[in-house]
Amino acid sequence: MPPDPLPRRIRRSRVLLTVSLAAALLISVAAFFILQAIPDVRTAFLIDTSQTKSDEDFVAITNAVGSAAQNSADADSLSLRRFGGTCGDRHNTESIVEPGTGQARKINTSVRTLTPSGQPTLESGLLAAIGEFSGRYPFRGSKSNRIIVVTSHGVDACTADRAALERAVATRAQDSGVRLDFRFFGYKIPQEQQQPLARLATAAKAPAPRFVTTSAELTTALKELTIPASPDAKHVEVHPTEPSPSPTPKTSPTPPPTVSAAPAAALADGTHQVYIKNVDPQAHTLTVDEIEYLVGAEAQAAAKADGIGRAPNDVYIRNADKKTVDLSVASDARIEINRMTTDPAAGDPTWSRKVSLEQLAERFAALGRTHFEPTTRAFDLTMTNGRVGALHEKWRP
């Protein structure tokens, strides 16, 4: 009589069940470790290693980046990439430290070994940095993915078409499949290169670049950005040394007073191009409207794109939203005017007259009583520590 097949089927089912449970356990363990390996924040430092005016300027940049890396949270994934070299050379951007957690010390050491050379190849560096976020591995940040650009140049030496550069960066960022948070820091960037970098930041949907002129400002700015967040910080109770009587129970405890944070400055530190809409010497404030002051080929291209036609004298001012902001003026702010003086010497673009805020207000009011509209005079305005530190009327042909 043949053996009963039921026990064999039972044994086979038990084996399959055991294998299935083991596989499920292995998958669960693997998933746990993968989730543990995914950082909350992934930050890529992109540093300009092209030639600077002095070795001290470059050392200031490398020191600031190294300090910012050391200041990051231990669980953050960090990487370091450089750009600068020869146009068309595939080595004009290079990964120095690959993404990963626990890389702060390596970045701090590696960045200080870099030396400046070549031309600024900002486009190559940015596109390569974005490309590093395109794949699923190294793991992206679950909460934030950032590219921090630290540069001493506001333009790419190899790309004359700035609009094409802006489109390329915007397209590559969109195609990366992840939301990238760009931050631009400019160190001693020439004034004429600040606006191109600001437009690139806008194309990348980033805040306005932070322009600084001292190593201390750069170090502080980067540290403020990378300081670890502390969402789980607990309230620390301070116990008095002397015993205190038990508090009388209250049915409706009085809530602690709300402490409001100090309001942020209306414009970021750095240079802006503005119209002045009002001057208040008593309150020591200016009301301004930020503009784009374009010259040369860039002015003609913008005027054509906006349907204006040709820009007279190769100057075109773009004022999209006409939004005004009130700014506090530093007591030692340097204020210079030229055309507003109506002095014959103002025909020289290199000439200017230093005035006080009160004198600027007087001149502003005087022009307001004539056909010389004062609110359409363009100025370069420099914000320092949240206040207007300098104001210079732009000479316009």
Side-chain angles (χ1 to χ4, degrees), residues 286-359:
L286 293 175
T287 301
V288 304
D289 176 10
E290 192 167 14
I291 60 174
E292 284 185 82
Y293 189 94
L294 308 172
V295 298
E298 193 172 27
Q300 299 298 347
K304 183 178 180 180
D306 291 350
I308 304 300
R310 182 165 180 79
N313 298 319
D314 274 352
V315 175
Y316 178 60
I317 297 177
R318 179 182 274 160
N319 189 14
D321 57 15
K322 297 180 174 59
K323 177 184 176 183
T324 62
V325 293
D326 295 329
L327 304 173
S328 177
V329 182
S331 58
D332 59 347
R334 183 179 183 86
I335 303 173
E336 296 178 342
I337 60 176
N338 46 56
R339 286 292 197 186
M340 288 186 72
T341 65
T342 68
D343 191 307
D348 180 356
T350 64
W351 182 89
S352 63
R353 175 182 293 172
K354 186 177 180 181
V355 296
S356 65
L357 188 63
E358 290 75 13
Q359 291 171 323

Side-chain angles (χ1 to χ4, degrees), residues 191-195 271-276 289 291-295 314-317 335-341 346 348-352 376-381 391-397:
Q191 185 172 311
E192 65 274 12
Q193 295 186 17
Q194 292 184 7
Q195 188 63 27
T271 301
H272 304 264
Q273 296 163 333
V274 301
Y275 284 146
I276 296 178
D289 176 10
I291 60 174
E292 284 185 82
Y293 189 94
L294 308 172
V295 298
D314 274 352
V315 175
Y316 178 60
I317 297 177
I335 303 173
E336 296 178 342
I337 60 176
N338 46 56
R339 286 292 197 186
M340 288 186 72
T341 65
D348 180 356
T350 64
W351 182 89
S352 63
T376 56
R377 302 299 179 98
F379 282 78
D380 284 323
L381 179 148
L391 189 67
H392 181 84
E393 183 184 2
K394 298 179 77 70
W395 187 88
R396 187 172 179 181

